[in-house]
Amino acid sequence: MSSRAASFGAGAQIVCDNLVRIFKSEGVEVVALQGLDLLVDQGEVVAIVGASGSGKSTLLNILSGLDVPSAGVARLAGQDLLAMSARDRVRYRRETVGFLFQQAMHNLLPYLSAAENIQLPMTLSGVARGERPQRAGELLELLGIPECADRLMHQLSGGQQQRVALGVALANRPEVLLADEPTGELDSESSEEVFAAIRAANAAYGTTVVLVTHDPLVSEQVQRTVGIRDGRTSSEVLRRTAIGEHGGEELIAEEYAVLDRAGRLQLPREFTEALDMRERVRLDLERDHIGVWPDQRENGGRENGRRDNGEPGTGERVGGGQ
Ligand code: ADP
Ligand code: MG
């Protein structure tokens, strides 16, 4: 067990292992993350999706070093987020990760130009004075807004502001970019531009990207979408291109349920509701799959509680899958 625990996520850039975050306020406990597992490799672009309140922002705040988990493992670029000193944390937030919020202005100073905003984090991390303007110029170019260099924030559109904020987040060449609904307040054209800028940074610098989004336009364009439900990773959609039957390139999306290390699986709500599965189900191990059956004792009396052998009993199939 312990050797397995030690090797979980070896080689991954982001490792969350059984991550727990409990908020306590006025005697009430909210379990925002309840044993979340997540691995992300260097250079990946991963979208996180899930209902409001499922724990997405809590996860990103932990990875960004803003918040500290209650239990579990959280590691990013080899740094342990539960055991970090205050000093290391400042450095981590300045250099290892970049953060993009829904409100662009959260990261921007209104009385500085776009280029000056982007140079500010470089000042804090000691990039040579002579190098800063050139680096800022390069970023503005990459993000598609070179013409905005000398403009103040109120002279920019929402999409341009968010790309300047992206420049600020990338100024110190972080290993990982974390973005919490970065296109949540933008129209679809601006969203597309911001997302294109994020992808450009990923391609140019190999920056790993983890972004929370409700925007199908964004989540359908990444290789991997991770679904969070009730503070746990519950599903993943993996996308790849393949040559279709007519010879053209096709995007193939395959949906998976996440099996955690304790063997837990979240069945999609549509599936369990369709078969009226509640509380307990019966499992059959077959040669190449596992069958999941409604509990006949509970459902047998109802009109649709039919079994393929027509009998309402529960015992005869147990252990007998073949
Ligand atoms: P999401 O970003 O997916 O909408 P959050 O991570 O913000 O969800 O919140 C997850 C749960 O934790 C929610 O029930 C929320 O109310 C609770 N929560 C988040 N932050 C705090 C906090 N600072 N204090 C108390 N409860 C919190
Ligand atoms: Mg949120």
Side-chain angles (χ1 to χ4, degrees):
M1 187 69 202
S2 65
S3 69
R4 208 181 145 217
S7 66
F8 178 71
Q13 190 174 36
I14 301 176
V15 181
C16 296
D17 182 0
N18 213 357
L19 196 60
V20 175
R21 177 64 169 108
I22 300 171
F23 293 107
K24 293 190 184 97
S25 59
E26 296 164 16
V28 181
E29 286 193 355
V30 177
V31 187
L33 298 180
Q34 37 189 327
L36 179 138
D37 295 338
L38 177 70
L39 299 179
V40 178
D41 287 335
Q42 183 168 6
E44 265 196 286
V45 179
V46 175
I48 308 272
V49 298
S52 170
S54 56
K56 305 180 298 294
S57 295
T58 303
L59 171 65
L60 254 63
N61 288 341
I62 288 172
L63 294 178
S64 71
L66 275 172
D67 187 23
V68 184
S70 311
V73 172
R75 263 198 329 267
L76 192 151
Q79 305 196 53
D80 180 347
L81 286 157
L82 279 90
M84 207 177 258
S85 69
R87 210 171 145 193
D88 287 345
R89 194 169 286 277
V90 170
R91 202 185 180 84
Y92 174 87
R93 292 181 43 70
R94 201 174 276 163
E95 292 169 14
T96 309
V97 290
F99 207 96
L100 197 56
F101 298 90
Q102 184 166 351
Q103 273 87 22
M105 288 310 293
H106 199 105
N107 263 356
L108 299 172
L109 292 175
Y111 50 83
L112 295 182
S113 70
E116 288 165 341
N117 265 291
I118 294 175
Q119 289 179 53
L120 197 58
M122 301 180 199
T123 319
L124 299 173
S125 68
V127 176
R129 182 181 289 273
E131 204 188 314
R132 294 176 209 156
Q134 187 218 324
R135 255 211 217 185
E138 189 189 301
L139 274 165
L140 287 161
E141 190 78 44
L142 180 76
L143 306 178
I145 44 169
E147 73 282 6
C148 298
D150 298 322
R151 294 192 209 153
L152 298 177
M153 298 306 104
H154 71 87
Q155 297 170 310
L156 305 179
S157 71
Q160 289 169 332
Q161 286 180 354
Q162 191 59 298
R163 281 181 283 168
V164 177
L166 180 57
V168 171
L170 296 171
N172 289 325
R173 309 235 169 107
E175 298 188 50
V176 177
L177 174 72
L178 302 162
D180 196 348
E181 302 191 36
T183 63
E185 294 198 334
L186 301 175
D187 59 53
S188 60
E189 194 182 330
S190 304
S191 296
E192 189 69 75
E193 286 164 357
V194 168
F195 187 54
I198 290 174
R199 281 152 69 106
N202 169 258
Y205 305 129
T207 317
T208 307
V209 179
V210 179
L211 76 155
V212 170
T213 184
H214 287 297
D215 188 346
L217 195 108
V218 172
S219 60
E220 284 168 12
Q221 286 187 60
V222 300
Q223 301 115 326
R224 181 152 76 109
T225 304
V226 174
I228 296 192
R229 200 167 109 195
D230 300 335
R232 280 199 196 117
T233 41
S234 67
S235 63
E236 289 201 10
V237 176
L238 303 183
R239 295 182 189 79
R240 59 190 168 86
T241 47
I243 304 302
E245 57 180 301
H246 304 296
E249 275 215 332
E250 280 179 4
L251 183 69
I252 297 179
E254 288 168 312
E255 180 155 3
Y256 295 84
V258 171
L259 181 66
D260 80 7
R261 291 198 300 140
R264 282 179 298 236
L265 185 69
Q266 288 195 24
L267 298 173
R269 213 159 266 155
E270 313 90 82
F271 289 19
T272 54
E273 283 174 0
L275 295 177
D276 198 17
M277 290 176 170
R278 273 172 286 140
E279 290 181 45
R280 61 175 95 81
V281 293
R282 294 190 337 96
L283 301 178
D284 281 334
L285 178 61
E286 305 286 349
R287 192 172 44 77
D288 59 353
H289 71 279
I290 297 170
V292 183
W293 307 83
D295 177 9
Q296 294 300 313
R297 264 181 308 202
E298 195 200 328
N299 298 334
R302 302 209 185 102
E303 59 274 46
N304 285 328
R306 194 167 11 105
R307 289 275 305 275
D308 54 354
N309 63 2
E311 286 179 27
T314 60
E316 69 276 36
R317 288 186 73 101
V318 173
Q322 49 237 323

